[in-house]
Amino acid sequence: MNSPISLSQPEIQQTAIIVVAAGSGTRLGFGIPKALVPLADRSLLEHALDRIQLAGCAAQVIVVLPRGDTELAARAAAHPLKPRCVDGGATRNDSVRAGLAAMDEGTERVLIHDAARALTPPEVFRQVAAALVAGARAVIPVLPVVDTIKQVATDPGHGQPHITGTPARESLRAVQTPQGFHTPTLLAAHRRAAGWDRAQAEAITDDAMLMELLGERVDTVPGAAAALKITTKPDLVLAESMMPRHPEKESPMTEPTGNPAPLLIPRTGIGIDVHAVADPSESRPMWLAGLHFPGDQGLSGHSDGDAVAHAACDALFSAAGIGDLGTHFGTDRPEYAGAPGTTLLAEAARLVREAGFEIGNVAVQFVGRRPKFAARRLEADAVLSKAAGAPVTVTATTSDGLGYEGTGEGLTAYATALVYRVRP
Ligand code: CTP
Ligand code: MG
């Protein structure tokens, strides 16, 4: 996976995700809709929704369910994402269309996702959404093909087909979901396909095919092994082996694999930093939250004194459980002496990711009389978010004249961070 992606609020607002979960799961053969089949302690649908929640890239989430299935509807309704639920149709294509019809009008981008790919990592959703934001009209996650793939034909009267060709493997890709689209283009493709008969509709196995038929360019992003489509029982066993594991919560559908794996529970961290304002005899620039505040006397300390950035670093280290500022930027790392707050934050984020985590967000509040912050808050959020590669928000308050923050002798920054494990 490439560098982490963060999307802005307006970009998230204009993005919807449709999760198609209306299939019957015939090949899995449990006699219940596939999306309801448990994997460890959650149904496949809930796993898919958990990861969409972690991805945080769409304001609207629409789940397409088997008509009349109250159990799945109840699970969807209880999920923190509070998705909109609609009834599906006879084919996957019908279900996608039902989802599209339930979307807010004018939504610019839509991701279509199979609940059957329940363990698709959040980063894949973000990559697809980001490619759309960057201008792609259709984008799909793909993986290289490991098998040699043959074309076949079956002669009348012969049971088994014979080979008619071997496409070059380097030119083949296995396709996954979520598939992302510029909504008006996808709607046009679906309108065109609306009159097709059932056989033609069933031949449409993914939405990108519709775009190809319209002559639209379809771009790709890297897929993920964990995004496998759970179709048969062995797929469920494989998916189980990839799961974060509570030993006491094995799936009733599969044998335990005994594979130790981390939990998909986010971890929070806290960081606090206090800096004194430098003595007036020594003129120092004020750097806070990655910004320079001309005219304000700066904070004392070996570094630039950026208490907001330092608290953010400590919160990240704390969340990942990998020590603190002293551990990583202490006297034995002279290259960080005097480094700007943004440099430290970028390095802290890198270390957290190196330890196997992705960053949900970092929130910082500082308490102090100066600098006057409100007018530069969004600028600070942008600079720090860029450094961390994840959303960082900064707020400010005063202490009603009390303490060193009230007299202006110093300030305190408090930070929290949320991280979640993406690798063992
Ligand atoms: N799907 C859907 N509506 C349908 C058929 C399929 O929403 N009428 C969804 C499935 O729920 C699944 C995705 O499309 O998330 C991919 O379909 P597939 O893997 O074939 O799932 P099922 O149709 O449930 O499985 P089977 O074909 O074995 O019955
Ligand atoms: Mg099917």
Side-chain angles (χ1 to χ4, degrees):
M1 223 67 342
N2 297 331
S3 61
I5 287 158
S6 73
L7 296 159
S8 71
Q9 267 312 316
E11 287 161 356
I12 292 168
Q13 279 305 326
Q14 280 303 317
T15 307
I17 297 184
I18 295 172
V19 185
V20 285
S24 54
T26 318
R27 285 169 288 178
L28 204 45
F30 288 119
I32 55 172
K34 184 153 67 181
L36 194 53
V37 167
L39 186 58
D41 58 334
R42 319 252 299 143
S43 64
L44 293 187
L45 176 65
E46 287 163 302
H47 282 298
L49 292 174
D50 290 348
R51 283 149 185 82
I52 290 169
Q53 187 183 3
L54 288 172
C57 60
Q60 282 174 68
V61 180
I62 296 156
V63 175
V64 187
L65 298 175
R67 187 179 293 276
D69 190 301
T70 50
E71 174 66 28
L72 267 174
R75 286 182 187 240
H79 195 275
L81 269 181
K82 298 275 170 256
R84 205 172 288 174
C85 294
V86 295
D87 287 339
T91 64
R92 181 186 180 280
N93 198 35
D94 293 335
S95 296
V96 170
R97 244 184 290 152
L100 287 170
M103 210 168 62
D104 287 349
E105 222 166 284
T107 307
E108 279 173 36
R109 293 170 287 275
V110 59
L111 274 58
I112 315 273
H113 185 52
D114 284 351
R117 296 187 189 273
L119 301 187
T120 303
E123 195 60 18
V124 178
F125 290 90
R126 288 200 209 119
Q127 298 249 12
V128 170
L132 292 175
V133 166
R137 285 153 77 92
V139 58
I140 62 177
V142 296
L143 283 181
V145 172
V146 288
D147 293 319
T148 295
I149 308 282
K150 303 274 185 194
Q151 278 170 330
V152 297
T154 307
D155 294 334
H158 276 75
Q160 285 301 312
H162 67 274
I163 304 301
T164 58
T166 310
R169 195 165 61 188
E170 310 79 67
S171 71
L172 296 173
R173 294 292 179 274
V175 171
Q176 303 183 323
T177 69
Q179 301 193 342
F181 303 97
H182 173 242
T183 312
T185 315
L186 182 67
L187 290 176
H190 273 275
R191 270 195 299 274
R192 208 170 106 156
W196 293 355
D197 63 27
R198 180 156 178 152
Q200 285 174 305
E202 271 174 355
I204 299 297
T205 50
D206 76 346
D207 302 278
M209 267 178 85
L210 285 174
M211 302 296 268
E212 292 158 38
L213 292 174
L214 270 191
E216 283 288 335
R217 175 190 162 101
V218 179
D219 287 306
T220 66
V221 295
L228 81 157
K229 184 159 130 202
I230 300 169
T231 307
T232 59
K233 286 195 177 87
D235 298 332
L236 195 61
V237 176
L238 181 59
E240 179 106 55
S241 76
M242 295 175 170
M243 278 293 295
R245 184 166 304 283
H246 279 300
E248 72 279 15
K249 289 181 182 166
E250 295 296 343
S251 163
M253 301 296 194
T254 61
E255 290 300 312
T257 59
N259 238 8
L263 298 173
L264 189 88
I265 293 177
R267 297 171 52 118
T268 66
I270 183 166
I272 298 176
D273 197 32
V274 180
H275 274 270
V277 173
D279 192 86
S281 63
E282 176 209 358
S283 167
R284 273 180 70 94
M286 165 62 95
W287 281 93
L288 196 71
L291 302 180
H292 181 221
F293 289 83
D296 271 299
Q297 170 67 333
L299 300 167
S300 64
H302 294 301
S303 65
D304 64 2
D306 189 336
V308 165
H310 299 172
C313 292
D314 254 346
L316 282 171
F317 293 141
S318 153
I322 54 170
D324 57 19
L325 275 181
T327 314
H328 298 286
F329 307 132
T331 45
D332 55 333
R333 303 290 303 274
E335 68 270 31
Y336 289 113
T342 45
T343 303
L344 298 187
L345 183 57
E347 175 63 5
R350 192 191 67 76
L351 289 164
V352 162
R353 292 192 175 101
E354 190 177 75
F357 295 93
E358 190 41 75
I359 301 167
N361 76 306
V362 181
V364 194
Q365 183 166 46
F366 77 85
V367 187
R369 256 174 61 178
R370 306 280 316 172
K372 290 291 171 228
F373 188 65
R376 302 197 64 192
R377 184 172 56 79
L378 293 178
E379 208 186 326
D381 289 357
V383 166
L384 297 180
S385 298
K386 182 158 185 269
V392 181
T393 49
V394 185
T395 51
T397 189
T398 58
S399 64
D400 207 12
L402 296 173
Y404 56 87
E405 297 116 331
T407 60
E409 286 167 89
L411 60 78
T412 311
Y414 301 86
T416 63
L418 187 130
V419 303
Y420 55 94
R421 194 170 267 297
V422 288
R423 284 194 315 279

